[in-house]
Amino acid sequence: MREIELDERRKAILASTGHVIIEGGPGCGKTTIALLKAAQCCSNLKPEQRILFLSFSRAAVRQVTDRMKTTLSSAQRAALEVRTFHAFFLNLVRSHGRLLTGTPARFITPEREAIIRADFEGDDNAWKTEKRRLATEESLYVFDTLAPTLAELLERSNDLRNLYSRRYPIIVVDEFQDTSTDQWRVVHALSATSTIICLADPDQRIYDHIEGVDEHRLEVARMALQPTTFDLSSDNHRSPASGILEYANAVLRNTPTEAPPNVRLFGYRYKKPEVMTHLITQKVFSALSRQLNAPPTIAILTRVNTFASRISGNLALEQEQNGETVAPIDHVLHWDPELAAASALVVASILEWPTLSVKDAVVSTLNCIADYYRVKLGLGTAGARSKITTIERSIKAVRNETRPASKTAKNLLELAKTAPPLSGRSVTDWQTARRALKGSAELDELAGKVRLIRMLNATDAVARALSETWNGTTGYAGSVNTVRTALAAEAINVQQTDQVPVHVMTMHKSKGKEFDAVIIVENRHDRPLLNPQPGSKAQDADRRLLRVAITRARHLVVLIRPNGAVPLTPPLRSL
């Protein structure tokens, strides 16, 4: 545990009583001072009490737990319970949801939710109605209905509210500016007898597109909580003396500035940006390795998932650039977890084949493939509906023992007749089943996506779960449901940091993370980094998102943009 020197503002935070709001930008030390304030209160806790630290993402929770190791003693760490909103809400709804419906609460996994949502063909109002019906009539909950359900429970039951306030007398709420109306209702209900510490940066509000996220959340909280407010926005401990934060703030406010040396811009006209990104990533990795004397962490950030996927595919290939060979780069693509989970269920279905007839085996796998495309349909992917229709026709043909038209179904039928032998070693058998995904566009796509369960850090959990379903001789009975359950558990639990140095993701997904270098890539054919209308709400939102993306970097920011793109800041005027 290292000694931390405190200035007068931070001493005032530790000395304050009652509700608190701590404001400040990226790297200003909001989390550290909140942990120190929590540690200060540990000696007053009863044995059954804990300090609750709530954040939005598992990445943010990991950062908090890592920070605790250098900031708090082991006894103090044991007194803190660090959870995501979803994990905390799910636990309480599972425990007490029957108070509202009379039946035990059940949870629909994100992958199943995406499949169900696909039936509503983009009709958001109809899906909202169905989510409410599932919760109130069937006690079935998706992520979106957990917060309003828990808010109703706490608002209606004094006993329940007091129970959890006694358990958690102090609650720290990270990224408070992004709380939705229902999440705020939960915090507000507990604030009656728990002390609330809000950590916020209004300029990192990047989820306005989500229903219930309100730009006036901090003002509402000030009126309701009457907190003491502290401002740490002048501090920067993540990238001090680098100019990165100052540049990001200039982008946010559209003020004239000159980019500092560690913010570099590369333009392109005809070159493919994903190819440029491959070469630049290799050069950044080599340069920072020498500078830091250790392998650096690098994030490649885009506006949309599809472009991130293209970049990932390019990084996996050997390239020739200007007469030099660029080797493939080991990396992780942070894709939609629902798609990774749905593709994993296709592999799981193949592990069941030896326990089924050929017809039933192929129908089961085709159903899983159809569900994968239903997830894509629910995510708004063009062409997913026609894929589903083709696969459903194939399912009907296989059931009727007629020849299916689709190449995917034909390949699966041939493979199922001589299913690859399985050994009972779950990791080896998983790889064997995954290799069966080839021979058609759909199977090739699934083979690529199933590798993304590495992103979920769920491979160990899946292997353990599968080992329990081995029938002792030939196959894995019930492996689809087993893998679904394992992946659902991993979707809630906090994961360990992935050791792969290069991460590819959208800018939205980068929030709450830190890297040695950030490479932001703009594709001329996708949504631009900046809306061209200056002063519009859309451009203001883009500037907030860019500030978040830029400030993920500790040492270096690289921007790869098409020639002629809207400048991020006005040029400095010469005297």
Side-chain angles (χ1 to χ4, degrees):
M1 190 173 84
R2 62 187 175 92
E3 192 72 24
I4 298 176
E5 187 173 338
L6 302 178
D7 59 16
E8 293 305 316
R9 287 172 301 166
R10 287 166 175 78
K11 289 176 182 178
I13 292 173
L14 296 183
S16 65
T17 58
H19 304 308
V20 171
I21 291 179
I22 304 173
E23 292 188 51
C28 73
K30 298 188 298 291
T31 301
T32 298
I33 193 61
L35 289 174
L36 292 176
K37 187 168 180 62
Q40 179 180 266
C41 301
C42 286
S43 59
N44 297 324
L45 296 178
K46 297 177 181 178
E48 73 278 5
Q49 290 182 320
R50 297 290 182 272
I51 295 171
L52 179 64
F53 196 115
L54 290 175
S55 194
F56 282 94
S57 68
R58 289 167 295 200
V61 168
R62 284 198 302 269
Q63 284 205 353
V64 172
T65 53
D66 288 344
R67 194 78 52 82
M68 287 165 54
K69 295 173 184 176
T70 58
T71 307
L72 307 182
S73 68
S74 58
Q76 290 166 341
R77 292 198 298 270
L80 260 73
E81 189 173 316
V82 187
R83 309 283 296 279
T84 63
F85 278 96
H86 282 145
F88 180 67
F89 290 178
L90 176 61
N91 186 51
L92 269 64
V93 170
R94 275 177 170 164
S95 299
H96 308 288
R98 67 170 65 220
L99 295 175
L100 294 175
T101 62
T103 56
R106 294 172 293 153
F107 177 60
I108 300 174
T109 64
E111 160 260 332
R112 294 302 300 170
E113 177 191 350
I115 292 169
I116 297 169
R117 187 172 66 236
D119 292 336
F120 293 84
E121 295 283 359
D123 189 337
D124 291 340
N125 289 328
W127 174 235
K128 288 178 191 174
T129 301
E130 176 63 7
K131 285 190 294 186
R132 286 195 296 269
R133 187 197 68 78
L134 289 170
T136 57
E137 296 181 15
E138 299 186 31
S139 207
L140 272 171
Y141 299 95
V142 299
F143 274 153
D144 288 351
T145 51
L146 293 174
T149 300
L150 180 56
E152 185 177 358
L153 281 165
L154 293 173
E155 290 166 350
R156 289 175 57 176
S157 173
N158 289 333
D159 289 342
L160 191 63
R161 187 168 60 248
N162 291 334
L163 171 67
Y164 282 97
S165 284
R166 286 194 299 271
R167 170 69 173 173
Y168 305 110
I170 299 171
I171 301 174
V172 182
V173 186
D174 194 18
E175 302 287 2
F176 182 76
Q177 75 279 349
D178 285 328
T179 50
S180 69
T181 299
D182 292 316
Q183 290 164 340
W184 159 242
R185 286 171 61 200
V186 171
V187 173
H188 189 210
L190 292 170
S191 71
T193 47
S194 293
T195 298
I196 307 299
I197 301 173
C198 300
L199 312 182
D201 178 5
D203 291 332
Q204 287 198 70
R205 197 185 74 252
I206 62 173
Y207 293 110
D208 283 1
H209 59 284
I210 297 178
E211 184 179 10
V213 176
D214 186 349
E215 62 181 304
H216 303 295
R217 180 70 60 226
L218 277 169
E219 288 83 351
V220 170
R222 287 191 182 97
M223 291 290 292
L225 301 179
Q226 294 295 301
T228 306
T229 299
F230 298 91
D231 187 357
L232 305 180
S233 57
S234 61
D235 297 342
N236 174 23
H237 303 291
R238 178 176 299 167
S239 54
S242 69
I244 290 175
L245 178 58
E246 291 76 10
Y247 178 77
N249 285 336
V251 171
L252 172 70
R253 297 180 175 88
N254 196 25
T255 55
T257 191
E258 184 175 335
N262 47 3
V263 176
R264 302 173 190 173
L265 175 63
F266 292 85
Y268 67 90
R269 186 175 182 183
Y270 300 114
K271 291 181 180 179
K272 291 184 177 181
E274 58 268 35
V275 176
M276 281 187 68
T277 302
H278 191 149
L279 179 62
I280 289 171
T281 301
Q282 186 195 59
K283 292 183 180 299
V284 167
F285 188 87
S286 298
L288 279 181
S289 294
R290 292 191 296 270
Q291 177 184 330
L292 303 176
N293 200 28
T297 56
I298 300 173
I300 301 173
L301 307 182
T302 68
R303 281 304 302 254
V304 298
N305 274 323
T306 50
F307 187 44
S309 181
R310 277 175 49 194
I311 288 175
S312 173
N314 197 85
L315 292 177
L317 303 174
E318 185 175 275
Q319 302 287 341
E320 290 291 333
Q321 278 284 306
N322 301 324
E324 58 180 306
T325 300
V326 184
I329 297 175
D330 191 21
H331 67 283
V332 170
L333 171 64
H334 292 251
W335 190 258
D336 294 292
E338 296 94 338
L339 281 175
S343 63
L345 297 183
V346 176
V347 176
S349 73
I350 294 174
L351 293 174
E352 292 183 350
W353 280 8
T355 69
L356 302 170
S357 68
V358 169
K359 179 169 73 174
D360 289 344
V362 173
V363 166
S364 173
T365 298
L366 288 172
N367 274 321
C368 288
I369 295 173
D371 282 347
Y372 169 84
Y373 283 102
R374 290 187 184 99
V375 172
K376 295 194 74 173
L377 180 64
L379 294 172
T381 303
R385 170 53 69 190
S386 63
K387 296 281 189 183
I388 296 168
T389 300
T390 299
I391 295 165
E392 287 177 340
R393 287 175 182 158
S394 295
I395 292 171
K396 185 176 180 181
V398 173
R399 281 179 173 155
N400 293 335
E401 300 185 356
T402 58
R403 185 168 177 78
S406 82
K407 192 174 181 181
T408 295
K410 290 175 183 175
N411 282 0
L412 292 175
L413 274 171
E414 285 303 311
L415 185 64
K417 291 175 184 176
T418 56
L422 303 177
S423 65
R425 297 188 296 274
S426 57
V427 173
T428 301
D429 291 341
W430 180 269
Q431 294 168 347
T432 298
R434 191 187 67 195
R435 285 194 291 269
L437 298 176
K438 59 183 179 181
S440 73
E442 293 80 13
L443 294 176
D444 291 343
E445 177 182 341
L446 284 159
K449 293 297 181 292
V450 78
R451 291 186 175 89
L452 299 181
I453 68 163
R454 179 175 70 167
M455 178 196 76
L456 303 176
N457 285 325
T459 48
D460 290 343
V462 167
R464 288 193 300 269
L466 282 174
S467 65
E468 297 176 3
T469 66
W470 174 247
N471 67 5
T473 54
T474 58
Y476 296 80
S479 59
V480 172
N481 287 332
T482 298
V483 170
R484 178 180 287 120
T485 301
L487 292 175
E490 292 302 304
I492 296 297
N493 294 332
V494 177
Q495 304 151 6
Q496 297 301 311
T497 304
D498 199 306
Q499 296 303 310
V500 175
V502 177
H503 298 252
V504 184
M505 68 191 81
T506 63
M507 293 193 290
H508 276 95
K509 284 188 174 73
S510 73
K511 189 172 182 183
K513 301 177 176 69
E514 292 182 19
F515 304 91
D516 293 315
V518 164
I519 302 172
I520 301 172
V521 192
E522 180 176 356
N523 181 22
R524 65 164 64 90
H525 302 300
D526 289 331
R527 183 177 173 184
L529 292 182
L530 274 183
N531 184 285
Q533 298 299 319
S536 64
K537 282 191 173 181
Q539 190 180 95
D540 289 346
D542 288 344
R543 290 186 179 280
R544 288 196 299 273
L545 180 59
L546 272 166
R547 179 177 181 264
V548 168
I550 291 167
T551 56
R552 299 309 92 198
R554 288 186 283 262
H555 302 287
L556 177 67
V557 175
V558 175
L559 293 152
I560 302 175
R561 308 189 68 203
N563 294 341
V566 178
L568 300 188
T569 63
L572 285 170
R573 291 182 180 178
S574 58
L575 296 177

